[in-house]
Amino acid sequence: MVIGDARSAADRREVVNTAGRILASLPPRERDVLYLVAEGHSNAEIGETLHLSEATVKGYLSSAFARLGVRNRVEAALLVWQAR
């Protein structure tokens, strides 16, 4: 059981490190938008918070999704949570 726990902890650290590296490769504004997505904010709320138009938020999300290789907000949010 201890060996399995150690492996699980090592696997978890690797996931966190990988997700962290992927997020670190994004431009700062895309990361800001993704962090707010991970907290459950809508595009309109993100726009208000960051003083951006909703169209700009959508543009940042599209770009981030492509860079991260994710298809939607849920996958992006999961990646952000894995990095924490």
Side-chain angles (χ1 to χ4, degrees):
M1 197 68 145
V2 173
I3 292 172
D5 290 342
R7 189 175 310 135
S8 296
D11 290 345
R12 171 77 179 126
R13 278 192 301 277
E14 182 60 30
V15 167
V16 169
N17 290 337
T18 301
R21 282 193 301 274
I22 291 169
L23 288 175
S25 72
L26 296 177
R29 207 54 159 172
E30 287 181 15
R31 274 196 311 269
D32 294 342
V33 169
L34 285 177
Y35 292 147
L36 293 171
V37 164
E39 291 177 4
H41 295 280
S42 69
N43 289 352
E45 292 168 338
I46 293 168
E48 281 185 35
T49 301
L50 299 178
H51 306 286
L52 303 169
S53 72
E54 199 167 341
T56 301
V57 171
K58 289 178 183 179
Y60 280 132
L61 286 174
S62 293
S63 178
F65 290 177
R67 291 174 197 256
L68 297 173
V70 299
R71 295 173 291 187
N72 56 50
R73 299 171 80 87
V74 173
E75 289 180 2
L78 180 60
L79 188 73
V80 170
W81 280 102
Q82 287 173 336
R84 291 183 174 183

